[in-house]
């Protein structure tokens, strides 16, 4: 669910390595999930989404995995680049208390050159 | 294509002064609209959402209010700002009525001094 007021966990990776960012979602009835990327001083940008009838979806250098059994979502970034440095949020959507998306706390990704 | 704009981008206001942040969406009709706040280095906090003109739902009790005078216009206001109102404010929209993917504006930095 919403994790407001928490300091963000941080992941540091070497340029060229693969990154894995994890997220636990709160509502087993959620049926649509999104990963966002937020660069410093900017609004979050949509990266990739997945519906609950899927376990895996691939985009350009990114893959999202969904494990509904344990309510876990992950974002894999292949060959991480300095431009990937940002905060990454997972989001879950379902008819929980209205038409709104619930965001995870976010993970800050640092890419070392 | 759809676009979202919010302004001003940066604002420095004294304690006790009023606030007005404005957001407009173009290229879509009947969007769901949202205001989020993000404290430095922290996650997103949903403040208000709206599913139609004049329909505002508040998520947290606070010193702020929201209004939707037109279908694609969303305004965040305060009569008297507090120091704790400082933060990064994000307007967002999603396709209505069953809003799915949320798209964010550029954000507005508010510093209350």
């Amino acid at each position: 669910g919403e994790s407001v007021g928490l300091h963000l966990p941080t992941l540091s990776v070497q340029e060229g390595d693969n990154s894995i960012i994890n997220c636990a979602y709160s509502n087993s009835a959620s049926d649509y999930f999104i990963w966002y990327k937020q660069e410093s001083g900017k609004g979050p940008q949509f990266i990739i989404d997945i519906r609950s009838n899927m376990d895996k979806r691939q985009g350009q250098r990114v893959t999202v995995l969904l494990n509904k059994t344990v309510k876990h979502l992950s974002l894999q970034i292949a060959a991480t680049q300095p431009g990937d440095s940002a905060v990454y949020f997972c989001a879950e959507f379902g008819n929980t208390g209205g038409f709104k998306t619930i965001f995870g706390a976010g993970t800050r990704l640092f890419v070392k050159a | 294509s759809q676009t979202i704009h919010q302004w001003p981008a940066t604002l420095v206001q004294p304690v006790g002064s009023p606030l007005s942040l404005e957001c407009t969406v173009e290229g879509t009709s009947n969007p769901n609209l949202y205001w989020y706040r993000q404290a430095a280095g922290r996650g997103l906090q949903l403040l208000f959402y709206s599913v139609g003109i004049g329909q505002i739902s508040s998520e947290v009790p606070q010193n702020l209010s929201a209004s939707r005078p037109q279908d694609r216009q969303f305004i965040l206001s305060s009569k008297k700002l507090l120091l704790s109102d400082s933060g990064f404010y994000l307007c967002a929209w999603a396709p209505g009525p069953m809003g799915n993917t949320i798209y964010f504006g550029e954000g507005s930095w508010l510093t209350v001094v």
Side-chain angles (χ1 to χ4, degrees):
Chain A
E2 293 192 51
S3 299
V4 177
L6 299 177
H7 288 284
L8 301 178
T10 299
L11 174 66
S12 184
V13 299
Q14 197 69 37
E15 181 180 1
D17 288 349
N18 296 334
S19 303
I20 300 177
I21 300 171
N22 296 304
C23 177
Y25 64 92
S26 60
N27 186 359
S28 57
S30 294
D31 56 9
Y32 178 60
F33 304 88
I34 307 163
W35 278 101
Y36 288 90
K37 172 186 180 182
Q38 185 178 22
E39 298 179 33
S40 181
K42 298 183 179 179
Q45 298 297 310
F46 172 92
I47 301 174
I48 191 168
D49 59 359
I50 188 169
R51 297 204 172 271
S52 59
N53 61 352
M54 303 172 68
D55 297 322
K56 179 180 180 179
R57 190 170 186 210
Q58 288 184 295
Q60 187 176 13
R61 283 200 308 117
V62 295
T63 300
V64 55
L65 299 177
L66 175 62
N67 185 331
K68 295 181 288 293
T69 302
V70 295
K71 294 191 290 186
H72 184 268
L73 198 66
S74 68
L75 177 70
Q76 300 178 3
I77 305 174
T80 313
Q81 303 170 359
D84 295 325
S85 293
V87 174
Y88 291 83
F89 295 94
C90 67
E92 58 181 298
F93 183 83
N95 289 334
T96 306
F99 305 110
K100 58 181 181 178
T101 299
I102 299 173
F103 290 88
T107 297
R108 187 179 301 278
L109 176 65
F110 284 109
V111 181
K112 297 176 288 186
Chain B
S1 63
Q2 300 87 5
T3 57
I4 178 169
H5 299 287
Q6 63 177 102
W7 67 92
T10 304
L11 201 58
V12 180
Q13 291 286 100
V15 169
S17 65
L19 170 73
S20 181
L21 298 178
E22 189 166 342
C23 172
T24 59
V25 180
E26 297 177 359
T28 187
S29 297
N30 303 315
N32 294 335
L33 297 174
Y34 307 83
W35 277 110
Y36 286 87
R37 177 168 60 198
Q38 185 176 39
R42 309 219 170 178
L44 293 169
Q45 179 184 31
L46 179 63
L47 301 176
F48 301 96
Y49 68 94
S50 171
V51 299
I53 296 174
Q55 301 178 58
I56 308 295
S57 295
S58 176
E59 289 299 296
V60 293
Q62 59 202 317
N63 184 41
L64 301 169
S65 62
S67 61
R68 185 171 177 174
Q70 300 181 46
D71 181 47
R72 291 170 292 173
Q73 184 184 26
F74 207 24
I75 299 171
L76 183 70
S77 304
S78 174
K79 292 182 180 179
K80 290 185 178 181
L81 284 169
L82 306 172
L83 288 174
S84 58
D85 291 324
S86 294
F88 190 48
Y89 289 84
L90 288 158
C91 181
W93 75 276
M98 300 294 290
N100 218 331
T101 306
I102 287 185
Y103 301 93
F104 289 88
E106 306 93 336
S108 298
W109 282 102
L110 170 65
T111 303
V112 183
V113 296

